[in-house]
Amino acid sequence: MGIIDLQLAELSARLKEDSDYDVKFDESLKKLILKEGYDESFGAREIQRTIQRYVEDPISEKLLELGLPKSGKFSLTYNNESNETVVVEY
């Protein structure tokens, strides 16, 4: 999962630097990104789009829901039963 960890680390660093958001990613979410983001014929090209769909979009929705706080700590996991990313502030 090296490329996924790298991409998520870059996103996390960007969020920390730009807005003081501390974001952690659960293994279930990383496994989903690997499963959905890798294609035999295209390789890892879809990973960034998959991260957008399952990580960036849910974080954005949560931040809007919270009124765009200046800082915060968030944990992201994937819920297989509801088929959605869960963002929890901690």
Side-chain angles (χ1 to χ4, degrees), residues 20 31 34-36 67 78 87:
D20 199 26
K31 288 178 184 177
L34 179 62
K35 178 183 168 203
E36 296 288 321
Y78 185 73
V87 181

Side-chain angles (χ1 to χ4, degrees), residues 56-74:
E56 293 179 21
D57 290 351
I59 289 173
S60 297
E61 290 171 14
K62 184 67 168 185
L63 292 173
L64 287 171
E65 176 186 311
L66 295 172
L68 295 172
K70 294 187 185 286
S71 64
K73 295 182 179 186
F74 302 93

Side-chain angles (χ1 to χ4, degrees), residues 15-69:
L15 288 169
K16 183 71 173 168
E17 183 179 313
D18 293 347
S19 304
D20 199 26
Y21 297 131
D22 184 21
V23 183
K24 298 187 191 268
F25 309 100
D26 185 84
E27 286 300 312
S28 64
L29 185 58
K30 292 178 184 180
K31 288 178 184 177
L32 173 76
I33 293 167
L34 179 62
K35 178 183 168 203
E36 296 288 321
Y38 183 80
D39 183 286
E40 284 282 329
S41 47
F42 296 111
R45 291 182 188 170
E46 287 294 312
I47 287 178
Q48 187 54 48
R49 264 182 264 201
T50 305
I51 289 173
Q52 174 77 42
R53 183 178 331 128
Y54 291 105
V55 178
E56 293 179 21
D57 290 351
I59 289 173
S60 297
E61 290 171 14
K62 184 67 168 185
L63 292 173
L64 287 171
E65 176 186 311
L66 295 172
L68 295 172

